[in-house]
Amino acid sequence: PFNLSTTISFDLASSEIVSINIFNIKGQLIKNICNKTYDKGTHSIIWDGKNNQGNNCGTGVYFYRMTAGKTTQSKKMMMIK
């Protein structure tokens, strides 16, 4: 659970294009956090709890999907205000 913002951390074994998207419980895209190349190593990205229009998202369950090269990973998050 998080309040207002959360940090998404990931490790890369090599330089990759990374895409991270946030979805609501209905599967609707809420926010595209990044879509760019990151170097090998550990990285962190902060989601400020806002959607693509800059509006605050409400309390609830959200999912992020991270794609790095051929690898895709999804995780559940819960925002509590």
Side-chain angles (χ1 to χ4, degrees):
F2 67 96
N3 185 2
L4 300 181
S5 69
T6 188
T7 302
I8 299 170
S9 300
F10 56 95
D11 295 313
L12 297 175
S14 62
S15 180
E16 297 280 359
I17 296 174
V18 175
S19 173
I20 299 178
N21 294 301
I22 308 291
F23 298 89
N24 65 16
I25 194 77
K26 296 178 182 178
Q28 299 166 317
L29 178 65
I30 298 299
K31 175 85 174 189
N32 174 271
I33 298 213
C34 72
N35 190 19
K36 65 179 193 174
T37 302
Y38 286 87
D39 293 330
K40 174 183 174 180
T42 302
H43 305 275
S44 296
I45 295 177
I46 295 174
W47 177 42
D48 60 5
K50 295 184 179 184
N51 62 19
N52 278 331
Q53 290 75 39
N55 300 318
N56 289 325
C57 294
T59 296
V61 175
Y62 295 89
F63 297 89
Y64 77 82
R65 182 174 61 210
M66 182 183 85
T67 303
K70 296 180 182 179
T71 302
T72 299
Q73 179 180 8
S74 296
K75 297 254 179 156
K76 183 167 76 169
M77 305 179 287
M78 181 175 286
M79 183 187 304
I80 300 173
K81 290 188 177 184

